[in-house]
Each structure stands twice: as C-alpha cells, then as structure tokens.
Amino acid sequence: MTESLAVATPAQALALLSLPQEELFARATALREAAFGRNIVLCAIINAKSGNCSMDCRFCSQSRHNHTPIEVFSLLPDEELRERILQLAALPVARIGVVTSGSALSGSELQRLCKVIAALPDDVRPRVCASLGKLAARDFADLSQSGLTRFHHNLETARDYYASVCTTQTWDQRRETVLRACDSGMSVCSGGLFGLGESWEDRVNFAFSLKELGVGHVPMNFLHPHPETPLAGQQPLSANDALTLIAIFRHILPTATLRICGGRPLVLGDRQGEIFAAGANALMTGDYLTTHGQSIAHDLEMIAALGLEVRCDASC
C-alpha cells in the first residue's frame, strides 16, 4: 500500500536522504502514480506587470533594490492581456497564470484585471490563475466574483530562513495572504524557491508548513542566479539535489500537485525527464518571468517519450 510510503514527521523525511536514489525514486513514483496515474499537467504564465517591485527579495530580478537589466512595464493593456490569455488557451495547458510584480496590485489595476477575467469565454475563464501579491479579503471577493478560481502566492522558503532572503515582508504575512485566499473559496497554489542557501531541515520544515495549510498545488522553483542581485554568485543546486528534493516533497505531500517551474532547464539540463520519476506530476512550460524556459513542443515530446499523458482541464 502506498500509504505506508508517505512520511508523517520531519525526522522521517530527513531519514529518506540516506536511501539510494533509485529506491527513493521508486517510492516517489509509486506515490505519484497512486494519486495521479500517468497524467501530467502543464501550466504557462504571462508576465503581466514587470519590475519596480518595492520588496527586497535577495533572489529577485524584479526588485527595485536590485539592478538586474530586465524589461520594466506597468500592467498590460486590457486587450493585450486578453489576447495573450487566449493564445495560451489554445495550447494543451490546464492553467494560465497571470503574474504581476510588486507587493500588491493597486485597486484600479485589480478592477481592470477582474473585468478582463469576467469577459473571457466560459471555457477559458476557469483555467486562469493569478499571482498578484498581498491582497485583502475584499480583493479576493472581487476576484472570485469575476470567475477566478485559483490564486498563487508563494511562501518562498521555511519560516526560520525567510528573513535571510527578504526583510520587507514577513513569512507570516505571506501565510496570511494564503489563508485569505483559502477563506475566499479559491484553490491555492503555493510553494517556493530552492537553492537560496537553506538547509535540508529548512526544506523539510517548509514542506510540512505547506502540508499544515492544506495546499494542494505546490510550485517548486530552483534558483537561477540573476546578475546584480545579492545571490548572483550563489551556486545553483545540483541536478541530484533538485531531484531528491522533489522526491522528499512527494513523500511529505503524497496527493499534492508538485509543479516544477523556474530554474528547471538550468538546474536539470538533460535530466529534466527525471522529475516524474522523482514524483512530480506537473510542470510549467514556456518562458518564466524574466528567464527563458523550455518550449511546449519540447515538453510535450519529453512527456510522450516517457509514456505519460498530458491532462488538460480546469480541475487540474
């Protein structure tokens, strides 16, 4: 029974690190297949507002405290945003994420976005997600009324390590945003970024925090060091560590969607197909916010070659 493979305590999770990778992956694959069969879910994102963020996240190319040479622009015009959503909706992606920089959208920006979402075709609207920063309960009510069904807000890392990477917002403030999204009735996508200098204990504790919150969709990003950020010289995770991390998360979160996102090409290279053996059941395809990713054609070919199937519906 796969139930016996899941772990219930941080100590049990850390003990998995002593297993041979082949055994660890076999357990993770069994857990993934028990929860999701051979189905893989794709998502894609739109960078809808870029740069000039007041947050001081040490890893982020979009922070105004850092000086990474990126394109900076305000919230996309309504028609352009609509067209970009519809373009992605024509692809076999289950979810389309609208992502904006900054600590939170302004009231007028939020209302513009709500109108764009509400006016989408009925078969597209349920596939849209949003990552809009720290919002109030009334904002979530407006988004829900517009037809948004899922909100993304990363906790980034373990509570005890968070102050090492950001000082302009606390981990608990981020958690409160996640709770407000949950209270609104939306499903929540919340994960983090790995390779910031955190320990294995931090990573395991972080996974258990997500488990405690009942998060069902967990994006896993790997640091892609950006120039002119405090972490520009940070050594990226090794492929072995990244894959082991996915497998550990699968043992802690046996029924959650584990979605491999930013940093995938850099960290995993020609081992990207191993994410599914390690327990992942979803990935972000196409480009990320300020870095390039894999084309959807490449990802579809990789998934098919492994005998897996892409599932594309709004329930994913």
Side-chain angles (χ1 to χ4, degrees):
M1 298 290 288
T2 55
E3 290 85 354
S4 64
L5 299 178
V7 296
T9 67
Q12 290 174 342
L14 289 168
L16 295 172
L17 292 170
S18 64
L19 294 178
Q21 194 169 73
E22 182 179 356
E23 181 180 348
L24 180 64
F25 283 13
R27 293 167 55 108
T29 296
L31 286 165
R32 173 182 60 77
E33 290 182 343
F36 304 101
R38 303 188 69 76
N39 293 322
I40 303 301
V41 177
L42 303 183
C43 77
I45 60 171
I46 297 167
N47 187 3
K49 179 183 178 183
S50 181
N52 200 32
C53 178
S54 62
M55 304 285 285
D56 68 352
C57 302
R58 290 166 55 82
F59 54 81
C60 189
S61 61
Q62 300 201 63
S63 170
R64 72 170 65 136
H65 299 267
N66 304 327
H67 302 94
T68 306
I70 63 165
E71 186 178 6
V72 176
F73 53 85
S74 57
L75 185 65
L76 294 175
D78 296 2
E79 190 55 36
E80 180 178 354
L81 182 55
R82 173 185 169 86
E83 285 304 311
R84 292 185 63 178
I85 292 172
L86 293 178
Q87 287 170 7
L88 290 178
L91 302 176
V93 295
R95 285 284 174 167
I96 302 158
V98 176
V99 185
T100 60
S101 65
S103 59
L105 279 188
S106 69
S108 60
E109 290 172 326
L110 187 76
Q111 291 308 309
R112 278 181 52 203
L113 179 58
C114 285
K115 289 179 181 178
V116 170
I117 294 171
L120 290 170
D122 290 344
D123 61 336
V124 174
R125 191 183 312 109
R127 294 165 61 190
V128 176
C129 311
S131 181
L132 312 173
K134 182 173 60 177
L135 300 183
R138 63 180 179 277
D139 299 324
F140 285 110
D142 290 343
L143 285 166
S144 183
Q145 187 172 6
S146 76
L148 192 75
T149 57
R150 182 173 298 162
F151 192 77
H152 166 266
H153 193 70
N154 279 344
L155 294 177
E156 301 299 8
T157 189
R159 175 191 266 117
D160 290 345
Y161 194 71
Y162 184 81
S164 299
V165 295
C166 181
T167 66
T168 48
Q169 185 174 197
T170 67
W171 190 91
D172 286 312
Q173 286 174 320
R174 298 192 74 87
R175 180 177 180 273
E176 286 301 315
T177 299
V178 171
L179 290 174
R180 282 193 289 273
C182 292
D183 289 344
S184 75
M186 293 185 191
S187 67
V188 175
C189 182
S190 182
L193 180 60
F194 304 94
L196 302 171
E198 76 284 351
S199 67
W200 278 104
E201 287 80 4
D202 290 324
R203 296 165 184 168
V204 165
N205 289 337
F206 179 40
F208 275 98
S209 292
L210 295 171
K211 186 180 184 73
E212 179 185 354
L213 285 168
V215 172
H217 302 268
V218 178
M220 300 182 71
N221 301 276
F222 307 118
L223 178 68
H224 186 145
H226 293 289
E228 304 300 325
T229 66
L231 293 183
Q234 183 79 8
Q235 183 69 28
L237 284 180
S238 69
N240 276 337
D241 278 356
L243 292 166
T244 297
L245 178 59
I246 296 168
I248 298 294
F249 265 58
R250 175 53 69 205
H251 283 76
I252 299 169
L253 301 160
T255 61
T257 286
L258 299 184
R259 190 182 310 277
I260 311 308
C261 301
R264 172 165 61 98
L266 173 72
V267 169
L268 293 171
D270 60 6
R271 298 184 66 185
Q272 293 179 58
E274 295 181 48
I275 63 174
F276 308 115
N281 67 297
L283 56 82
M284 182 180 291
T285 191
D287 290 338
Y288 308 118
L289 294 175
T290 61
T291 59
H292 293 299
Q294 295 285 169
S295 70
I296 188 168
H298 177 279
D299 286 336
L300 290 173
E301 182 179 350
M302 175 180 69
I303 292 166
L306 294 167
L308 302 172
E309 299 178 358
V310 172
R311 179 181 174 188
C312 183
D313 63 74
S315 66
C316 297

